PDB file of all heavy atoms in Angstrom:
ATOM      1  N   GLY W1215     -11.433 -16.207 -11.630  1.00 98.00           N
ATOM      2  CA  GLY W1215     -12.840 -15.826 -11.568  1.00 98.00           C
ATOM      3  C   GLY W1215     -13.309 -15.469 -10.164  1.00 98.00           C
ATOM      4  O   GLY W1215     -12.530 -15.087  -9.291  1.00 98.00           O
ATOM      5  N   SER W1216     -14.629 -15.644  -9.968  1.00 98.00           N
ATOM      6  CA  SER W1216     -15.254 -15.230  -8.715  1.00 98.00           C
ATOM      7  C   SER W1216     -14.693 -15.995  -7.510  1.00 98.00           C
ATOM      8  O   SER W1216     -14.690 -15.485  -6.397  1.00 98.00           O
ATOM      9  CB  SER W1216     -16.758 -15.443  -8.808  1.00 98.00           C
ATOM     10  OG  SER W1216     -17.029 -16.737  -9.310  1.00 98.00           O
ATOM     11  N   ASP W1226     -19.361 -20.261 -12.131  1.00 97.00           N
ATOM     12  CA  ASP W1226     -18.613 -21.396 -12.657  1.00 97.00           C
ATOM     13  C   ASP W1226     -17.164 -21.243 -12.258  1.00 97.00           C
ATOM     14  O   ASP W1226     -16.765 -20.218 -11.712  1.00 97.00           O
ATOM     15  CB  ASP W1226     -18.789 -21.510 -14.182  1.00 97.00           C
ATOM     16  CG  ASP W1226     -18.127 -20.369 -14.937  1.00 97.00           C
ATOM     17  OD1 ASP W1226     -17.493 -19.508 -14.305  1.00 97.00           O
ATOM     18  OD2 ASP W1226     -18.238 -20.342 -16.174  1.00 97.00           O
ATOM     19  N   LEU W1227     -16.368 -22.281 -12.506  1.00 98.00           N
ATOM     20  CA  LEU W1227     -14.963 -22.256 -12.101  1.00 98.00           C
ATOM     21  C   LEU W1227     -14.083 -22.052 -13.327  1.00 98.00           C
ATOM     22  O   LEU W1227     -14.243 -22.741 -14.341  1.00 98.00           O
ATOM     23  CB  LEU W1227     -14.589 -23.563 -11.402  1.00 98.00           C
ATOM     24  CG  LEU W1227     -15.280 -23.821 -10.053  1.00 98.00           C
ATOM     25  CD1 LEU W1227     -14.873 -25.186  -9.503  1.00 98.00           C
ATOM     26  CD2 LEU W1227     -14.924 -22.725  -9.047  1.00 98.00           C
ATOM     27  N   ASP W1228     -13.165 -21.090 -13.227  1.00 98.00           N
ATOM     28  CA  ASP W1228     -12.276 -20.746 -14.335  1.00 98.00           C
ATOM     29  C   ASP W1228     -10.855 -21.091 -13.926  1.00 98.00           C
ATOM     30  O   ASP W1228     -10.279 -20.413 -13.086  1.00 98.00           O
ATOM     31  CB  ASP W1228     -12.379 -19.251 -14.619  1.00 98.00           C
ATOM     32  CG  ASP W1228     -13.820 -18.807 -14.779  1.00 98.00           C
ATOM     33  OD1 ASP W1228     -14.369 -19.011 -15.859  1.00 98.00           O
ATOM     34  OD2 ASP W1228     -14.398 -18.273 -13.805  1.00 98.00           O
TER      35      ASP W1228
HETATM   36 CA1   CA Z2069     -16.479 -17.970 -13.084  1.00 82.92          CA
END
Side-chain angles (χ1 to χ4, degrees):
S1216 48
D1226 68 2
L1227 294 177
D1228 309 280

